[in-house]
Amino acid sequence: MLRQISEDVRANLKDRLRELRDAIRQNRHDSAGEASHDIAGNLPPFPGRSLLGHAASAVDEALTIAESFVPHSRPLKVDGTTVKSLRTYFPQGDEDRQIGGERQFRRDMYYLTRAVLAGYGIDNPRVHEASFSAVHAAMRKRHADLLAGATAETASTDQVAAACAALLVECLNHRPVQPGEIGTGPATAGDRSLDIRCLAPVVLACGLATKADGTPEPDILEIAVLAAEVREDRIRQACAQTNAVQELTPVLATLLAHLT
């Protein structure tokens, strides 16, 4: 229990530090960021204002240098090989294995989501890693039966699709991509268009990796993005239903069957 609390604190701390780093970068003296994001944006012109920008630049550069000396687990390249199967993310076994699966899940989901958003031309999106921790916990608590079926050695396409449908629904519920903070204009609480566009491919890629039951191909993520775009309207309609998991399952099952 204490180790899990420690992991949650770690994920939240990383999110807060990323937000601080983003704020610093937006206020560099050479930044092209919008005035609405400027720390001094609401202040009248004053002689020392430019000094704030240069100070932000100096802090940003110092942090960049410091990062180069600190070991971290950021993947060198984010592509289809970054995606793992449901068996990796939701392993059976003792607490150490489960915590390891959760750590791998939130790290991979964070970078994969950012990669998909970058593919749509959205730079420096605000994605909360801690939200993926909550998704992982929700899957274990609410969908243990679906996970058991999908992670079995003899799992069928329908069983994998059902677990992936639940995973997408939980991701949408916890909204790891923060609305209105990624340069696309304000978003309402009920607007899930962007969430579906970036999260559905990641979940589908996870399903493909589960079906492959081995090292996924580098183009799995790209294939998942294209496939999700083709069925985006159908996925969106299913997500809007009260029984979203049940409605999503056949949609994802069809995609998994055609792509494997």
Side-chain angles (χ1 to χ4, degrees):
M1 177 66 71
L2 291 177
R3 289 188 59 187
Q4 183 58 55
I5 293 174
S6 177
E7 288 293 322
D8 292 342
V9 171
R10 179 182 178 183
N12 278 285
L13 179 59
K14 288 167 69 176
D15 287 335
R16 301 293 84 76
L17 290 175
R18 285 170 179 143
E19 290 177 357
L20 176 61
R21 188 68 183 277
D22 288 342
I24 291 172
R25 284 178 172 166
Q26 289 170 2
N27 287 277
R28 287 177 60 98
H29 73 283
D30 53 356
S31 172
E34 298 179 2
S36 61
H37 291 130
D38 194 334
I39 292 175
N42 296 321
L43 298 178
F46 63 98
R49 182 172 179 177
S50 63
L51 294 178
L52 292 177
H54 285 280
S57 299
V59 172
D60 184 31
E61 290 163 4
L63 290 173
T64 299
I65 294 173
E67 283 180 345
S68 66
F69 293 100
V70 178
H72 52 73
S73 57
R74 182 183 305 165
L76 297 177
K77 183 179 181 181
V78 179
D79 58 17
T81 60
T82 307
V83 186
K84 309 298 186 301
S85 75
L86 292 172
R87 298 181 186 91
T88 298
Y89 295 140
F90 300 95
Q92 299 297 321
D94 58 18
E95 183 182 4
D96 286 342
R97 291 197 64 192
Q98 294 181 28
I99 290 177
E102 184 272 336
R103 185 186 298 121
Q104 185 79 55
F105 174 80
R106 60 177 164 80
R107 187 196 83 130
D108 288 353
M109 294 299 106
Y110 171 81
Y111 286 111
L112 288 166
T113 301
R114 286 180 61 93
V116 174
L117 288 168
Y120 287 126
I122 300 174
D123 298 323
N124 298 317
R126 186 168 294 177
V127 181
H128 282 180
E129 189 173 324
S131 295
F132 287 115
S133 291
V135 169
H136 192 276
M139 286 295 295
R140 286 226 175 250
K141 180 178 180 180
R142 301 174 188 168
H143 309 288
D145 55 336
L146 297 181
L147 287 175
T151 57
E153 292 298 327
T154 58
S156 66
T157 298
D158 287 343
Q159 287 176 308
V160 174
C164 288
L167 181 57
L168 178 55
V169 170
E170 292 297 343
C171 284
L172 293 174
N173 288 341
H174 288 86
R175 305 203 77 168
V177 181
Q178 299 303 293
E181 298 178 347
I182 52 179
T184 59
T188 63
D191 182 8
R192 293 184 168 186
S193 299
L194 182 63
D195 295 326
I196 290 173
R197 289 185 69 196
C198 66
L199 294 170
V202 173
V203 170
L204 180 59
C206 183
L208 292 172
T210 304
K211 290 288 293 178
D213 198 24
T215 303
E217 298 295 329
D219 60 354
I220 277 185
L221 183 59
E222 182 180 352
I223 290 172
V225 170
L226 295 174
E229 286 179 348
V230 171
R231 289 290 183 267
E232 182 176 342
D233 288 343
R234 184 68 186 88
I235 293 173
R236 187 179 302 150
Q237 292 170 6
C239 290
Q241 303 302 312
T242 304
N243 53 345
V245 173
Q246 184 177 341
E247 293 291 330
L248 269 173
T249 298
V251 179
L252 296 183
T254 299
L255 292 174
L256 289 173
H258 282 115
L259 297 174
T260 56

